[in-house]
Amino acid sequence: MTLKFLIVNGYPRASRENFDRSDVAHPHDLYRRLLDRYEPNSASTVFFIADVENELPTLEEVRGFHGVIWTGSDQTIYHTHEEKVARQIEFSRLVFQAGVPQFGSCWGAQMAAVAAGGKVEANPKGREWGFAPRIELTAAGQEHPLTAGKPPVFQGIEMHLDHITELPPGAELLATGEHTRVQALASRYENGEFWATQYHPEFDLWENARLIAARAGALVKEGFFEKEEDVLRYAAKMKELFKNPGNEQLRRELGVDETLLDDRIRQLEFANWLEHLVKPHA
């Protein structure tokens, strides 16, 4: 059987065009890479949900997929007065109703919370960017199939301003961090399940460096760097470590450990979702 996936890209057209100008990979392509690696015989369809002229798939159309994958987004999920946001929450609830497994990162984690009745707000600590240096599995996370095989303490690639402040009823907190409390969760609502991470298993250091470089202006404005040139130098070092992961000096300088460099460890949540939620329901 060919597994069929719907990849929901949460970015509006203007943001996607800016990705092209800024040399940043499109998030749906990063998830397609993961599918190529873990389910090479699968089929995927990309849906640009923030383009409001695109009609939402129907319940029956959703039931034609074995899994729905949510990318990140630069939108604000509590701005529900905006149609490009409200329709995304509406659609995630439709997927829950259909009983089709959902997975997401960053915006996807916030969607897993809000669509099922949780809450997201601006993080008073500001932006979490680059990577979280220490994420810990909770007691529930040590037992849950999403994080099966994950080290009890690990690092995760991040770029977000908002955070989940209230879990929806029945949701499980699976991983937590100092800057962002909810780093991974499993949400149940109506007929479905949504497993998600605030961090990005679909990113590697190279793609992270490209995103950091594109966000240079914001990182300077928010006080993380003095000049944009400093951001670009940092991103260049991250690219160098990607190319030479055995460079111990760069590892120490950037504070990166094996959990961020090892593809298997970094991508484990996505692989686990396929193995433990998608395939049993297929």
Side-chain angles (χ1 to χ4, degrees):
M1 174 176 46
T2 299
L3 294 177
K4 298 178 182 179
F5 295 93
L6 181 65
I7 303 175
V8 182
N9 185 316
Y11 287 90
R13 180 177 289 106
S15 300
R16 301 195 305 271
E17 291 172 350
N18 190 51
F19 275 11
D20 292 329
R21 290 191 295 270
S22 305
D23 187 37
V24 175
H26 288 278
H28 60 266
D29 288 331
L30 299 182
Y31 272 112
R32 276 183 156 164
R33 288 182 198 174
L34 289 188
L35 287 172
D36 286 343
R37 177 170 186 171
Y38 294 104
E39 283 298 325
N41 297 318
S42 65
S44 61
T45 301
V46 177
F47 178 52
F48 298 111
I49 194 169
D51 298 351
V52 297
E53 68 274 14
N54 292 339
E55 188 174 344
L56 293 176
T58 65
L59 183 64
E60 287 307 309
E61 287 171 335
V62 170
R63 286 176 174 154
F65 293 99
H66 299 99
V68 173
I69 301 165
W70 291 82
T71 72
S73 177
D74 58 358
Q75 300 304 290
T76 303
I77 203 164
Y78 42 87
H79 287 180
T80 52
H81 58 282
E82 298 180 3
E83 185 182 356
K84 61 185 175 180
V85 172
R87 73 197 309 259
Q88 300 197 43
I89 300 170
E90 174 191 348
F91 182 66
S92 181
R93 288 175 177 158
L94 184 72
V95 180
F96 272 121
Q97 182 184 351
V100 176
Q102 299 181 77
F103 181 89
S105 54
C106 197
W107 171 262
Q110 296 169 20
M111 186 63 63
V114 170
K119 187 175 182 181
V120 168
E121 298 176 283
N123 193 328
K125 298 175 184 175
R127 183 186 301 270
E128 187 169 32
W129 67 276
F131 63 95
R134 183 181 176 88
I135 300 173
E136 298 183 43
L137 294 181
T138 63
Q142 293 175 31
E143 302 293 332
H144 197 278
L146 174 64
T147 40
K150 199 78 172 179
V153 178
F154 58 95
Q155 297 180 334
I157 291 173
E158 311 264 3
M159 186 67 78
H160 62 103
L161 290 160
D162 298 329
H163 67 149
I164 298 165
T165 54
E166 292 181 18
L167 289 171
E172 293 182 87
L173 174 62
L174 305 179
T176 189
E178 181 180 351
H179 190 283
T180 301
R181 174 176 170 266
V182 180
Q183 287 284 4
L185 74 156
S187 183
R188 293 174 180 267
Y189 183 71
E190 293 200 355
N191 306 314
E193 292 188 61
F194 196 146
W195 296 359
T197 62
Q198 183 61 61
Y199 49 92
H200 288 275
E202 76 279 19
F203 273 71
D204 55 30
L205 288 189
W206 183 271
E207 301 300 346
N208 193 28
R210 293 171 73 187
L211 183 59
I212 289 169
R215 298 283 191 270
L219 292 171
V220 170
K221 183 178 180 180
E222 293 164 19
F224 295 107
F225 294 89
E226 288 188 6
K227 299 177 295 184
E228 291 192 17
E229 292 82 357
D230 297 333
V231 183
L232 300 182
R233 277 193 290 270
Y234 178 89
K237 290 178 180 179
M238 188 165 282
K239 285 184 175 181
E240 180 62 29
L241 183 57
F242 172 82
K243 291 187 288 185
N244 298 287
N247 188 323
E248 293 295 338
Q249 180 180 344
L250 264 182
R251 285 193 186 205
R252 289 192 298 270
E253 182 178 348
L254 297 176
V256 169
D257 69 21
E258 192 67 20
T259 64
L260 213 58
L261 292 166
D262 187 308
D263 287 348
R264 186 193 64 81
I265 297 173
R266 196 182 61 256
Q267 299 167 354
L268 189 58
E269 291 86 345
F270 184 77
N272 282 341
W273 175 71
L274 292 172
E275 190 65 30
H276 298 298
L277 192 58
V278 172
K279 290 181 181 179
H281 285 81

